[in-house]
Amino acid sequence: MYFLALATDYDGTLAKDGVVTPATLTALEKLRASGRKLLLVTGRMLEDLLQVFPRPELFEWIVAENGALLYRPHSHESRLLADPAPNGLAEALTVRGVTPITSGRSIVASWRPYECTVLRVLSELGIDRQIIFNKRAVMILPTGTNKASGLRVALDEMKISAHNVVAIGDAENDLPMLTACACGVAVSNSVESVLAKADLITSADHGTGVEELIDEILLNDLSRWLAPGGEHGLLLGTAKDDPERRVMIPALAHSVLVAGPSGSGKSTAITGLIERLAEEQYQFCLFDPEGDYENFEPAVNLGNPHYAPAAGEVLTLLERAYNVVVNLLGIALDYRPAYVSEVIRKLDDLRQKKGRPHWLILDEAHHIFPARTPAESTLLPAPPSTSLMITVHPDHMRPEALAVVSIVLAVGKDPQETLRAFCRTAQIPEPNLAPVTLEHGEVLAWFRGEGDPFVVKVAPGKTEHLRHIRKYAQGDLGPSSFVFRGPDARLALIAQNFDNFIRIASGVDDETWRHHLRAHDYSRWLRETIKDRDLAQQVEEIENREDSPQQSRERIFAAIRTRYTAAA
């Protein structure tokens, strides 16, 4: 269940001529019975609303006066969210012939065609207030106060994100609320500006349109809105064969797999996505096995090589709406699957009740969902939606974990082979796969059920992601390691990381060092395998110098240490 709440306007939406029908009330009751919450967001003054609407207790919160007043029906408590109505404003408007005028605790309202007169009076009195239109109604409110601002306060009280809310309305003053929520819906009787900007439009009008929306939420949680292929969601990039086509990743209800060998561009593919998650205020919990995200600013980092955070610590921060990076370096490799499984289970209640964290991000997912686990294992068979998994080896993962994946982003030299490995392991039919050569910053994207794979030019992040410092400096690069062979290939000294590279390079004979230097093997390794073009350029300049072996060693070592500070 992704849509946890419905925020609805009153006049023209829930009600027709001020009256809500019994059928619409029944639909509201059904939505509440499903465990979802209801919020009423209206331009009416609270006292007026309570006189005409007999069932306020159906709503968790009522936002009245177009965002200026918050009311909780169950406790009858109310709170003013904006400055009070200015003294003398109503009287001044009356003197200028504006009639009728109604005043609430913050709002002052009249009707068209008096909007120009209202503006002149505000200017003459030096009052900083805005005018908001609700069809023929002219509402005077503090600047910045609208239905979205009032709804935001109510959602904060409920600790529910607007990304888990559907909003429905009919008039101009509803637009801020509709655009602030994940899905903005217009009833069919809405004004043209609302119809033009709504994500969905009901076929029926007024309360019957609300009933229609509720039926769809109860039936399938608005699956058509959550489906891939639309213009909503998170920007991945643009299609290579059609640069005008924006490729979006659905923001909820889908699992994404990024797969390919080390140094092949996985970080480029995911960094921009994670940054955009943070910018759009989707909450995430990222499990970081190698300390790659320890300085990632949009999140709070828990754990280090000497300390493993308890599941309760992770949950506490997520409950407080922080993004969290869980550093797994302090947890033994064999215990990581059990640890992550425990944390995810602890998060289940929060995800069920509040829809958060929106995304679980699992780096080195083949360690979290390994293919071989004991039959009695308590490990999670697969991640809950919504998730982003990153792996070198999709064929080393459990089939159940891959079966939930709806979008695959393959990177590296043979992305079509990565997709084949995914399909083979997940036990699903392969799409049409032709040989593909990816350039820097490209991925082969496959949206299952949406056609054949296609190449996407990934939209980069705004800031360069902290490169895999620990992996490259102290980890094991496996096939991406540098091998010192010498001029006649008599050696086979493998440098699994930059620490090993510096240590071995310091000890090899000058002939071996110079052989690889003159062949530009060092810069080629950095450019083609490590994918660090800037460092490769620096090293290539050193390779072209007429330095002594010792001088070139020192220059290259210094360049590596400057960029990968953990190397020594």
Side-chain angles (χ1 to χ4, degrees):
M1 188 164 71
Y2 298 98
F3 291 117
L4 303 177
L6 172 65
T8 176
D9 169 50
Y10 188 76
D11 290 289
T13 304
L14 198 64
K16 183 176 182 179
D17 298 326
V19 177
V20 181
T21 67
T24 302
L25 291 173
T26 298
L28 296 175
E29 291 169 345
K30 286 168 57 180
L31 191 72
R32 274 189 45 147
S34 73
R36 296 173 173 88
K37 305 297 183 183
L38 287 166
L39 300 104
L40 184 59
V41 188
T42 177
R44 282 191 183 237
M45 282 162 277
L46 180 62
E47 293 74 13
D48 180 29
L49 174 74
L50 296 179
Q51 286 179 1
V52 299
F53 182 56
R55 298 292 305 279
E57 76 282 355
L58 289 172
F59 295 91
E60 191 83 6
W61 291 93
I62 294 175
V63 179
E65 297 195 19
N66 211 70
L69 182 67
L70 186 64
Y71 174 71
R72 190 169 194 180
H74 297 287
S75 62
H76 304 292
E77 61 182 293
S78 63
R79 177 166 29 129
L80 195 60
L81 304 178
D83 293 336
N87 293 328
L89 176 58
E91 292 79 1
L93 291 171
T94 301
V95 169
R96 297 295 291 270
V98 178
T99 183
I101 295 173
T102 53
S103 296
R105 302 187 204 179
S106 179
I107 194 172
V108 176
S110 186
W111 299 89
R112 289 181 174 177
Y114 294 113
E115 60 270 24
C116 293
T117 304
V118 170
L119 284 171
R120 283 195 294 270
V121 171
L122 291 175
S123 177
E124 291 168 3
L125 296 179
I127 296 175
D128 181 18
R129 290 232 156 185
Q130 63 182 339
I131 288 180
I132 296 176
F133 294 105
N134 179 6
K135 297 181 180 175
R136 290 188 59 248
V138 178
M139 300 183 293
I140 308 164
L141 285 157
T143 302
T145 299
N146 55 41
K147 287 193 173 185
S149 67
L151 176 61
R152 191 177 304 118
V153 176
L155 294 176
D156 286 345
E157 292 283 348
M158 299 166 65
K159 292 184 169 54
I160 290 179
S161 166
H163 291 304
N164 299 100
V165 180
V166 182
I168 185 167
D170 74 304
E172 304 93 328
N173 63 322
D174 294 316
L175 281 171
M177 173 178 72
L178 300 189
T179 56
C181 293
C183 182
V185 183
V187 285
S188 63
N189 57 287
S190 297
V191 300
E192 287 300 323
S193 60
V194 174
L195 292 172
K197 294 185 179 180
D199 298 312
L200 301 175
I201 301 172
T202 64
S203 58
D205 61 275
H206 296 88
T208 309
V210 177
E211 296 167 34
E212 177 187 321
L213 174 63
I214 289 174
D215 286 342
E216 187 172 358
I217 292 172
L218 294 175
L219 177 66
N220 56 35
D221 209 26
L222 287 186
S223 60
R224 63 180 169 130
W225 172 247
L226 296 169
E231 271 300 304
H232 58 280
L234 301 165
L235 177 66
L236 174 63
T238 56
K240 184 174 184 178
D241 60 357
D242 182 6
E244 298 300 314
R245 176 188 170 194
R246 286 159 47 93
V247 181
M248 310 296 287
I249 297 291
L252 293 171
H254 290 271
S255 288
V256 181
L257 179 74
V258 183
S262 295
S264 59
K266 293 192 296 295
S267 292
T268 301
I270 66 173
T271 300
L273 275 177
I274 298 175
E275 284 185 0
R276 287 185 280 279
L277 278 176
E279 289 169 2
E280 297 294 326
Q281 297 185 334
Y282 288 96
Q283 188 186 31
F284 62 83
C285 180
L286 190 159
F287 294 92
D288 178 12
E290 295 178 336
D292 294 338
Y293 300 87
E294 61 185 355
N295 294 326
F296 196 55
E297 291 184 0
V300 176
N301 196 285
L302 285 178
N304 57 49
H306 312 290
Y307 157 69
E313 294 179 71
V314 180
L315 179 60
T316 297
L317 282 175
L318 291 169
E319 286 177 332
R320 295 175 181 174
Y322 290 102
N323 297 319
V324 176
V325 170
V326 184
N327 189 315
L328 301 179
L329 285 171
I331 302 168
L333 187 63
D334 291 343
Y335 185 65
R336 288 179 186 177
Y339 172 85
V340 174
S341 295
E342 179 191 1
V343 173
I344 291 177
R345 286 194 176 94
K346 292 277 189 182
L347 302 183
D348 185 62
D349 189 57
L350 179 63
R351 287 170 65 86
Q352 289 293 325
K353 292 181 178 178
K354 305 297 182 183
R356 300 186 286 106
H358 297 109
W359 283 76
L360 295 175
I361 304 173
L362 303 117
D363 205 351
E364 304 289 354
H366 51 281
H367 291 158
I368 308 304
F369 302 104
R372 297 180 181 178
T373 55
E376 69 279 6
S377 173
T378 60
L379 303 184
L380 289 174
S385 301
T386 308
S387 61
L388 171 62
M389 296 184 287
I390 304 105
T391 183
V392 175
H393 306 293
D395 50 337
H396 291 183
M397 293 179 62
R398 300 188 68 173
E400 299 96 324
L402 297 184
V404 303
V405 171
S406 54
I407 301 168
V408 184
L409 307 178
V411 297
K413 185 178 179 181
D414 297 305
Q416 67 277 2
E417 294 303 322
T418 297
L419 278 178
R420 285 195 177 96
F422 165 80
C423 293
R424 185 170 57 249
T425 307
Q427 302 172 5
I428 60 175
E430 292 182 8
N432 293 325
L433 290 170
V436 173
T437 299
L438 298 178
E439 297 179 5
H440 179 71
E442 294 179 347
V443 300
L444 182 62
W446 183 37
F447 290 69
R448 288 176 58 183
E450 300 293 323
D452 294 332
F454 60 98
V455 177
V456 176
K457 181 69 175 177
V458 174
K462 293 182 179 178
T463 57
E464 182 181 3
H465 177 53
L466 177 69
R467 296 186 61 84
H468 294 292
I469 288 176
R470 292 190 187 276
K471 175 188 286 187
Y472 294 149
Q474 298 174 330
D476 186 350
L477 295 175
S480 300
S481 302
F482 186 88
V483 182
F484 289 92
R485 299 191 184 278
D488 52 7
R490 69 180 183 276
L491 302 175
L493 303 175
I494 301 173
Q496 297 100 334
N497 53 50
F498 285 137
D499 279 4
N500 288 159
F501 177 85
I502 291 174
R503 190 174 298 111
I504 294 172
S506 298
V508 299
D509 60 274
D510 289 350
E511 184 182 11
T512 296
W513 172 260
R514 195 191 299 272
H515 166 76
H516 291 293
L517 185 81
R518 294 291 174 250
H520 292 259
D521 289 338
Y522 305 131
S523 60
R524 186 178 301 108
W525 175 55
L526 294 168
R527 181 179 295 105
E528 298 179 2
T529 303
I530 304 301
K531 304 293 184 182
D532 191 334
R533 294 185 176 187
D534 292 340
L535 181 58
Q537 179 64 36
Q538 294 179 50
V539 170
E540 187 173 26
E541 292 174 0
I542 298 169
E543 290 169 334
N544 291 329
R545 295 170 62 98
E546 294 297 329
D547 290 336
S548 69
Q550 186 58 32
Q551 288 174 323
S552 60
R553 279 187 178 95
E554 291 174 356
R555 292 181 189 276
I556 289 176
F557 295 170
I560 291 173
R561 289 186 175 117
T562 297
R563 195 157 178 84
Y564 296 86
T565 54

